[in-house]
Amino acid sequence: MKKHILAPEENRKNVSAELLESYTDTLSQMINCKTVFTHDNNNRAEFEKFYKIIEERFPVLTEKAERLTFGSGCFVYIIHGKNAQKNIMLMSHHDVVDGGDDWNTDPFCATIKDGAMYGRGTIDTKTPLFAELQACEELLKEGYSFDGINLYIGSSNNEELCGDGMVLATQYFKENGIHFEAVFDEGGAITTGMVPSVKEKSAMVAVHEKSRHVYRCIAKKVRKGHGGLNQTSTNTISQMTAFIQEVENSKIYKSDLSSEVRGTFETHAPYMQFPLNIVMGNIKLFAPVIKKVMQKIPQAKPMLSTSIAFTTISGGSEVDPQIAAQEVTATMFLRCVREDDLYKGLEKIKKIASKHGIEIEEVERDYCRPTDYKTPQFRLLESVIDDVFPDVIVAPFLLVAGTDARRFTDVADNIFRFAPIDLDTAQYASVHGANEHIKIQNVGQCVCFYKELIKKISD
């Protein structure tokens, strides 16, 4: 990779002070809604207030776009463009996690101080949603035709709880033959210090996320009887614990550098200090050393292989502890980078299970295919980031967290996870933590980003 000459941060695209004040007012009202999703729906009034604000603050979009609703509040706006040949989805969920006690301000009352807005959702992810809606509102007012595309703006009301909002939406898209050329969701951002020895800021675009596979492991008692009179060293509990211990000690999955991880390092290599620039610029040669180092870094280790975690175990009688458990079950949670790797390892796990008399059943498969970061669609996104944020490096990466975007794996060709938010260390730590905040200037840049993205996609 070649080193690009980056412009100063002052060269970023921005909006007028008057527009920024208007943006801040609308975003504040969205932040003030306590859209914390609960299964008993006791925050419904806050969600309704939020939807009312969207209708009032984005009147042209409300009038001209089609609106679909899925489940208890997931919504999708559709702007039908002229001569539409492709479908594009912009996404950001509007539910948030609760506030907590460590805030210096009220988490659900937007507070502006020191050039930033504090409030739950300013980063995760009401600001990106606001910017998507505002960009569309302005383009519609300007008479933009959205020529060549149908633009979808989707927002789930229960993403934080892995809810059914976007699951139902993608079912609808499948049933109606709606396929997307590209989906743009949260997941990456503009950060500093995420890559060792790189001083420049990086726009980290997640082109893949680790999947979620859940299995039920079952040990059943063969010989029945009273636990005190028919003791045996091979009871269901010992079977299960022996199985779990052997799986955890067997090193089922070997570490590897996926194309996404390689892409992160190769892109940043020209900006690294010596000797890391040499090491990361020659990944094939130094792969064993890189993997060894990453294994020792908690944030980096999950990027290397499928992970195994036994999350629950149950069985036996609480009424009479003398009665041996007839059946013991454990939940095995696997998160993989590549599904073929997961299944190869699963065959080894099943052999260990057979030895210990354990049955394994699949409970959930939630896999998202990776997106190739060498496609024209990624290059288009890269060019938009370069236009709005000319001071940052654009790089692909592997997300170890989860997003709603994974739901689109069967109805989209390209899935990108990037929100145009510029995060410093304190902001990064505030996601799902105390004192979440965004720089006011960055709010305007977010709108500029989505307007540029829509225009370039339409070209």
Side-chain angles (χ1 to χ4, degrees), residues 207-208 257-265 337-338 370-371 373 396-398:
V207 292
H208 189 31
L257 295 176
S258 67
S259 61
E260 298 82 31
V261 175
R262 289 173 182 265
T264 299
F265 291 140
V337 180
R338 294 291 189 272
T371 293
Y373 62 89
F397 85 108
L398 169 66

Side-chain angles (χ1 to χ4, degrees), residues 22 27 33 79 86-87 91 100 108 110 150 185 188 222 268 277 286 301 326 346 353 373 379 402 406 426 432 440:
S22 172
L27 180 58
C33 300
I79 300 174
K86 54 189 175 183
N87 301 311
M91 293 171 60
F108 296 102
N150 291 319
D185 195 11
V222 176
H268 283 93
N277 60 336
F286 292 102
K301 185 178 179 180
Q326 301 296 309
L346 187 61
Y373 62 89
R379 296 303 169 208
R406 71 184 187 276
H432 286 206
I440 296 297

